[in-house]
Amino acid sequence: MIRRTTVWICGLLCLLSVASACHAGEPDPAAGYDHLINTTYLPPYFDQETFDNVWRIWPEPLRSQAEKSTPDERRQMAFDRYGLTGRPEAPTKPLQYVVDKKGNWTLNCFSCHGGEIDGKPLPGLPNNRFDFAGITDDIRLTKALLGKKMVATDYSSLVFPLGENKGTTNAVNFGVALISLRDADLNFVPGARFPRMLHHDMEPPPWWHFSRKDNLYIDGFAPKGHRALLQFTMVRENGAKSFREREDDFRDIYAYLNSLESPKYSGQIDPQKAEAGRIVFNKHCSECHGTYGENATYPQRMVAIDEIKTDRARLDALSPEHREVYGKSWFNEYGEKAGLIADPAGYVAPPLDGVWATAPYFHNGSVPTLWHVLHPEQRPQIWQWAGKQYDHQKMGITVTELSEIPVGLPAIDKREVFDTSRFGKSAAGHDFPNSLSEEEKDVVLEYLKTL
């Protein structure tokens, strides 16, 4: 009897120990994903009825096509129009929005960081089709048609640039604007106003690079941490207290980002060419982009802007003062977190895991394929999406090269046309591949499929 009691007590103590550990809240990647798709950190933007009726304000002949379609077909048409995808585990539910039990839709982080490759949704993939301005404008018109109440977001595209091209957003200035209204503790400052900003568009990075970095963003200015992930929840409805209350959620989200791995290339690979490409890559490219396979390395090298020569709008958009405001705030533990770079010299060369899936390229999304990255002199000045099919020959998105912007395009279609002559959209720079022969470029392209 004593022995049984001892065993029972030991078992109970083990259960209590497990329960205590769970209650302590060890960061959980699975919980992090669940938070992103099921927890609202922003106020809702619109409801299910609005989304179901958005087709009513579409131009012809799209509206008539939608009218003749089933609800499921109309939903897919709307997903395609705005760059939304279904969730891998629930194809009819949007990956990019939290939809609550009342049918309210709230934007989440997957709007920029959850896309589609080869027809399959992939959380963590840059969403190269998301049209923030397009869905905002169409939802506003649909609400007006249905007599629905407007919210602040409905007017945002009228007063703040959201993104000139599908797949890009004015994300840096979202952060600058939001933090400019708060003090270091994230309390609102009465009378605070937005500073002068240099508006420009950015292509989001893939989330599976997160685990390889110590600092965030293309200029590498911000030390990595779970608090940094809360920046884009700084809407007026969220007071300073809300950020503290959500820390455990974002520890889970941080763990989720750290757990992501790059997708494997879905096409055919020539092993002999790829091996030849590995040798060329390690000789010419690894100094900045790292090595791969066993004993992989990533140097996190900052390349001076005068050396890389890519578009500098992103670098100039944040002043040292902007970066210091962030660095001294709660997000960066009031400056106690080491590693802030207030005045970076240029851009940090990214790792290239899964690079085959992340077109278009450069931090502003100006280069449509890896072939064009390797052929600087042949990058198109103006290009247009030619469908969602993946270009396995040039490794990137399928595009049509244009000599000029087509006249009379609706705004939402015009955002599928990329003009590299516009401010912040240059495709120049990173001309290092000019030192390679055509044969070397060909085998490097094959090697990039293996990463």
Side-chain angles (χ1 to χ4, degrees):
M1 182 67 180
I2 293 174
R3 185 176 179 182
R4 285 185 182 177
T5 302
T6 302
V7 171
W8 181 83
I9 291 173
C10 288
L12 179 60
L13 289 173
C14 288
L15 288 173
L16 289 173
S17 176
V18 170
S20 177
C22 292
H23 183 69
E26 286 296 319
D28 180 0
Y33 177 73
D34 187 73
H35 295 323
L36 289 170
I37 62 171
N38 290 318
T39 305
T40 56
Y41 299 108
L42 301 170
Y45 290 1
F46 52 88
D47 60 17
Q48 188 67 49
E49 183 184 17
T50 302
F51 186 78
D52 289 343
N53 283 277
V54 70
W55 64 271
R56 297 182 184 276
I57 56 88
W58 290 348
E60 292 291 1
L62 194 62
R63 182 168 66 246
S64 293
Q65 179 186 345
E67 187 174 16
K68 297 173 184 176
S69 301
T70 66
D72 286 347
E73 290 170 337
R74 283 198 291 267
R75 180 188 62 247
Q76 189 57 53
M77 291 172 70
F79 276 26
D80 290 341
R81 181 172 172 85
Y82 306 121
L84 309 183
T85 69
R87 301 174 185 178
E89 73 283 359
T92 63
K93 295 183 178 180
L95 177 63
Q96 293 77 16
Y97 284 82
V98 176
V99 183
D100 67 20
K101 294 179 180 180
K102 296 181 179 180
N104 294 312
W105 285 50
T106 303
L107 200 69
N108 67 26
C109 298
F110 287 123
S111 57
C112 292
H113 297 280
E116 182 179 281
I117 187 73
D118 269 350
K120 298 178 182 178
L122 182 61
L125 176 73
N127 189 351
N128 59 21
R129 297 289 297 170
F130 183 54
D131 190 352
F132 196 8
I135 193 169
T136 299
D137 290 344
D138 282 5
I139 288 295
R140 181 177 64 252
L141 293 174
T142 306
K143 284 186 175 182
L145 178 69
L146 299 177
K148 296 273 188 178
K149 181 181 178 180
M150 300 285 181
V151 297
T153 310
D154 294 317
Y155 301 105
S156 56
S157 63
L158 301 176
V159 297
F160 197 99
L162 301 183
E164 291 186 2
N165 284 98
K166 291 186 176 182
T168 65
T169 64
N170 190 14
V172 170
N173 282 320
F174 297 162
V176 170
L178 293 171
I179 203 169
S180 68
L181 305 179
R182 299 175 185 253
D183 62 20
D185 291 318
L186 307 184
N187 296 301
F188 284 103
V189 177
R193 296 184 178 182
F194 293 158
R196 187 174 181 178
M197 289 176 278
L198 190 67
H199 293 296
H200 64 290
D201 292 343
M202 285 283 296
E203 178 82 5
W207 266 354
W208 55 79
H209 288 170
F210 190 81
S211 64
R212 304 196 70 183
K213 298 179 178 181
D214 294 325
N215 279 32
L216 301 177
Y217 310 124
I218 188 66
D219 61 358
F221 92 91
K224 192 168 73 173
H226 69 277
R227 288 186 178 182
L229 306 178
L230 277 152
Q231 288 181 77
F232 294 99
T233 67
M234 285 189 290
V235 294
R236 185 162 293 277
E237 290 83 352
N238 290 335
K241 184 180 178 182
S242 68
F243 301 103
R244 280 77 171 171
E245 293 172 342
R246 293 168 174 173
E247 269 206 88
D248 281 346
D249 282 11
F250 278 78
R251 287 186 176 96
D252 290 337
I253 292 170
Y254 184 94
Y256 169 68
L257 267 59
N258 267 325
S259 74
L260 292 176
E261 297 181 353
S262 59
K264 303 297 183 184
Y265 178 59
S266 58
Q268 299 296 315
I269 299 175
D270 183 325
Q272 188 173 352
K273 282 179 65 175
E275 176 57 21
R278 183 187 67 82
I279 295 170
V280 176
F281 180 93
N282 285 345
K283 180 179 179 180
H284 294 276
C285 312
S286 62
E287 181 182 352
C288 292
H289 294 290
T291 59
Y292 301 84
E294 290 187 16
N295 303 314
T297 62
Y298 174 52
Q300 304 185 72
R301 181 182 172 189
M302 177 83 71
V303 185
I305 192 65
D306 291 338
E307 182 181 357
I308 189 67
K309 300 175 184 176
T310 51
D311 195 293
R312 63 176 298 140
R314 166 64 179 82
L315 183 66
D316 296 337
L318 283 179
S319 67
E321 291 74 23
H322 286 145
R323 295 185 180 94
E324 288 285 4
V325 166
Y326 168 84
K328 294 176 181 177
S329 74
W330 178 86
F331 291 125
N332 196 49
E333 299 178 15
Y334 303 103
E336 293 181 11
K337 200 170 185 64
L340 182 88
I341 304 174
D343 194 11
Y347 300 132
V348 178
L352 299 181
D353 317 60
V355 67
W356 70 272
T358 61
Y361 297 98
F362 290 4
H363 63 275
N364 58 3
S366 59
V367 181
T369 72
L370 284 172
W371 186 90
H372 289 108
V373 171
L374 293 170
H375 294 81
E377 304 305 318
Q378 298 187 56
R379 295 169 191 162
Q381 178 177 333
I382 303 174
W383 53 266
Q384 183 176 22
W385 282 79
K388 296 196 297 181
Q389 296 80 17
Y390 186 80
D391 185 339
H392 286 275
Q393 182 178 1
K394 291 188 173 181
M395 304 292 291
I397 59 177
T398 304
V399 300
T400 300
E401 296 188 22
L402 304 174
S403 58
E404 60 183 6
I405 304 290
V407 177
L409 282 179
I412 200 164
D413 295 326
K414 193 173 182 180
R415 283 191 287 275
E416 291 198 344
V417 179
F418 202 106
D419 182 358
T420 63
S421 69
R422 294 180 65 101
F423 176 77
K425 294 184 176 294
S426 172
H430 192 274
D431 53 9
F432 310 117
N434 285 338
S435 65
L436 303 178
S437 69
E438 196 59 37
E439 181 181 357
E440 287 174 323
K441 293 176 184 179
D442 186 48
V443 295
V444 166
L445 190 65
E446 194 72 13
Y447 174 62
L448 293 177
K449 298 176 183 178
T450 70
L451 304 186

